[in-house]
C-alpha cells in the first residue's frame, strides 16, 4: 500500500503544541524536483526544542570527539568535569595504525582536569596549567589540544591564554578550543571551531616536500571501522599519494604538512568544508566533493580525481584498479539483490551519511523511504548553491569566522581559473560544490531534520521499514519494535564500508539483517501493522 508522505507528515506533528508544530512542519519536507531545478526548502541547523529527545550531540563532541580526536599523537586534555571525558572516551570507532609500536598513540587515553566545585567558584586556569605540565611530563607529545566544556565558558577561564603560556614554557605546540557544549545548536558548531583551530595552529607547520606526481588530502574521512585504511590502500594502488587525512589515522605532522598537496578531496562536507575553503584561499589548493560510500560512487570519485590531474597514465591505473575491484562487488551484489530487492530503509544520522549510504542501499535494490540529518545545514540538504541566500542567525554568529588571505610565501595556485573552467566544461568535475542530499533522492520521500523520538516511533509504526539506520541511542528502542537497526555511526561492530571492499561488507551485513526471521517474532505491545497502515491511509 502506498502511503501519502504528506499525510504522514501531518500525523507526525499533530500531537505537538501549536508553536512546535509550526516549527517542525518547516523541518519536515516531502522531496520533489521542481522545473527550475530546485528542491523544497528545509529548516535546519536551528535549536532543538526542549523535551523533544533529539539525536544530536554537543559542540564539544563535534570538536574533540569528531575532528581532533582521531589524530593519534595530538594529546587531548578536556578542561571540565570528569563526566564530559568519561562519556566521550573511546565511544567513536575511529581507528588508527601507528607505523611502529614505539610511535606515539594517545587515542586510548582520556585526560581531564576533573574540575571540582572549588574550581568553578575560584577559577580553573591554575589547575589546567598543572594538568598540561603533568601530561607533558608523562607523554612528551608534539602537540597538546585543550578542549573547553560548558562550565569553562560560564566561569570565563581563558584556555587560549593558558595555551599560549604553556606553549612558551614547554616549547611544543599547545592550542585551545572554545568548544563549550552549549556554544552552538549541535556538534556541527564544534566541527567549525575545530576546523578553525586546525587551520590556525597546525596546517603549514611542516614543510617536508614530496616528489610524487599526484598528491591529495582526504578531508572528512575519520576512519570509522577502518574505512580510511581501505581508501588509503585504494589511492596508493592508483598511484595517488595521500599526504594527510582530516583526521582518521592522521598525525600532527601529516596535518601540518597538508598544504603540500595539490588537491583536497572532501568526503564529509558538513564537518570539514571550512578547512577546504580556507586552504584554497591561503594555499591555492582546489577542493572537490567525492564519495567513497558505494561501489559506483567510489569508481566515479576515482575517475574524477584522475580527471583533475589530466594524466593518461593515472587514468589507466584508475581504470585498472576499478576493473580489478568490480567483479567481486558485482558477484556479491547479484547475490544479495535477489533477496533484498524492493526492501525499504530509513536513514537518520549525522550530517553526511544519511545521504551517502542511500547509494549503497540502492545498489542492493533497496529503497530509501525517509531520511534526515541530525545536524546538517540547509546546504547539506539542498546543495551549496543556496549558500549565498542563507541568513546567518545568532547561533551561527557565535562561531568565529576567520578572515583568510593568500599566504605571501606558501600560496601557489594549483590550477588557473581558466584550467578550472575547462575542466568543469569537459567533465563532470565541479569544484567547491556539494549537490546535497535531496537532489539525489526520489520524489515523494520524507526528509526530516533533527528527528525526534516521538517521530521515530510513529514513522516505524506507520511504515514498518525493513531496516532503520541511526545510532546507539535509537538502536534498542527501534529493535524492540521488531525492526532491525543498523548503527551508521559506529557500524555496530562491522565495517569497513567504504570503497569497493567496504561495499561488499555492507551488502553482506544488511542482507543478513533484513532477511533475518527473528524480528518477526518480536511481539509489540501495540496494534498490529495492518491496522496502523489503514488508520493513516484513511485519514
Ligand atoms: Fe561527517 Fe562523520 Fe557524519 Fe560527522 Fe558524526 Fe561520524 Fe556521523 Mo556519528 S563527521 S557528519 S559528526 S560523516 S561521528 S564519522 S557517523 S554523526 S554522519
Amino acid at each position: 500500500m502506498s502511503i501519502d508522505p504528506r499525510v504522514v507528515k501531518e500525523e507526525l506533528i499533530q500531537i505537538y503544541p501549536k508553536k512546535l508544530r509550526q516549527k517542525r512542519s518547516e523541518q519536515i519536507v516531502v522531496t520533489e524536483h521542481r522545473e527550475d531545478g530546485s528542491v523544497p526548502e528545509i529548516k535546519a541547523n536551528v535549536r532543538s526544542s526542549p523535551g523533544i529527545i533529539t539525536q544530536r550531540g554537543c559542540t564539544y563532541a563535534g570538536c574533540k570527539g569528531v575532528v581532533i580526536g582521531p589524530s593519534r599523537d595530538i594529546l587531548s586534555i578536556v578542561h571540565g568535569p570528569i563526566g564530559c571525558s568519561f562519556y566521550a572516551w573511546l565511544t567513536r570507532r575511529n581507528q588508527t595504525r601507528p607505523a611502529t609500536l614505539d610511535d606515539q598513540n594517545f587515542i586510548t587515553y582520556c585526560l581531564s582536569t576533573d574540575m571540582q566545585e572549588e574550581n568553578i567558584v575560584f577559577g580553573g586556569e591554575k589547575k589546567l596549567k598543572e594538568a598540561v605540565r603533568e601530561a607533558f611530563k608523562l607523554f612528551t607529545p608534539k602537540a597538546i589540544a585543550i578542549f573547553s566544556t560548558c562550565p569553562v565558558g560560564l566561569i570565563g577561564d581563558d584556555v587560549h591564554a593558558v595555551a599560549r603560556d604553556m606553549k612558551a614554557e614547554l616549547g611544543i605546540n599547545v592550542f585551545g578550543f572554545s568548544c563549550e557544549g552549549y556554544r552552538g545548536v549541535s556538534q556541527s558548531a564544534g566541527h567549525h571551531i575545530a576546523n578553525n583551530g586546525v587551520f590556525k595552529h597546525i596546517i603549514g607547520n611542516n614543510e617536508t616536500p614530496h616528489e610524487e606526481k599526484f598528491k591529495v588530502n582526504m578531508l572528512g574521512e575519520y576512519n570509522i571501522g577502518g574505512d580510511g585504511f581501505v581508501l588509503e590502500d585504494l589511492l596508493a594502488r592508483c598511484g595517488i599519494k595521500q599526504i594527510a587525512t582530516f583526521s582518521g589515522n592522521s598525525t600532527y605532522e601529516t596535518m601540518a604538512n597538508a598544504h603540500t598537496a595539490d588537491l583536497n578531496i572532501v568526503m564529509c562536507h558538513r564537518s570539514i568544508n571550512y578547512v577546504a575553503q580556507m586552504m584554497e584561499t591561503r594555499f591555492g589548493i582546489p577542493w572537490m566533493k567525492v564519495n567513497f560510500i558505494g561501489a559506483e560512487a567510489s569508481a566515479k570519485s576515482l575517475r574524477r580525481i584522475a580527471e583533475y590531474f589530466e594524466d593518461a597514465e593515472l587514468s589507466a591505473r584508475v581504470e585498472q584498479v576499478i576493473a580489478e575491484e568490480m567483479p567481486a562487488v558485482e558477484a556479491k551484489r547479484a547475490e544479495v539483490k535477489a533477496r533484498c530487492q524492493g526492501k525499504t530503509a530509513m536513514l537518520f544520522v549525522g550530517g553526511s551519511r544519511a545521504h551517502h549510504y542511500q547509494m549503497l542501499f540502492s545498489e542492493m535494490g533497496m529503497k530509501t523511504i525517509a531520511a534526515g540529518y541530525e545536524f546538517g545545514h540547509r546546504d547539506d540538504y539542498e546543495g551549496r548553491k543556496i549558500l549565498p541566500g542563507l541568513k546567518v542567525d545568532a547561533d551561527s554568529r557565535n562561531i568565529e569566522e576567520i578572515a583568510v588571505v593568500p599566504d605571501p610565501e606558501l600560496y601557489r595556485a594549483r590550477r588557473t581559473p581558466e584550467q578550472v573552467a575547462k575542466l568543469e566544461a569537459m567533465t563532470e568535475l565541479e569544484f567547491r560544490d556539494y549537490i546535497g542530499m535531496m537532489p539525489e533522492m526520489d520524489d515523494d520521500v520524507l526528509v526530516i531534520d533533527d528527528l525526534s523520538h516521538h517521530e521515530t516511533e510513529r514513522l516505524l509504526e506507520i511504515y514498518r521499514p525493513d531496516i532503520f539506520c541511526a545510532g546507539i541511542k535509537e538502536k534498542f528502542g527501534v529493535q524492540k519494535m521488531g525492526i532491525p537497526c543498523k548503527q551508521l555511526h559506529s557500524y555496530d561492530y562491522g565495517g569497513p564500508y567504504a570503497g569497493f571492499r567496504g561495499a561488499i561488507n555492507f551488502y553482506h551485513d544488511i542482507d543478513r539483517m533484513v532477511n533475518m526471521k527473528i524480528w518477526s517474532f518480536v511481539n509489540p505491545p501495540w496494534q498490529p501493522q495492518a491496522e496502523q497502515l489503514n488508520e493513516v491511509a484513511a485519514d
Side-chain angles (χ1 to χ4, degrees), residues 66 92 187 191 222 224 268 270-271 349-353 374-375 488-489:
V66 174
R92 190 160 172 261
Q187 54 266 64
H191 302 151
Y222 302 93
I224 307 298
C268 167
R270 181 64 272 137
S271 62
V349 52
S352 79
R353 295 188 172 183
E374 277 171 49
F375 51 78
L488 276 192
H489 301 261

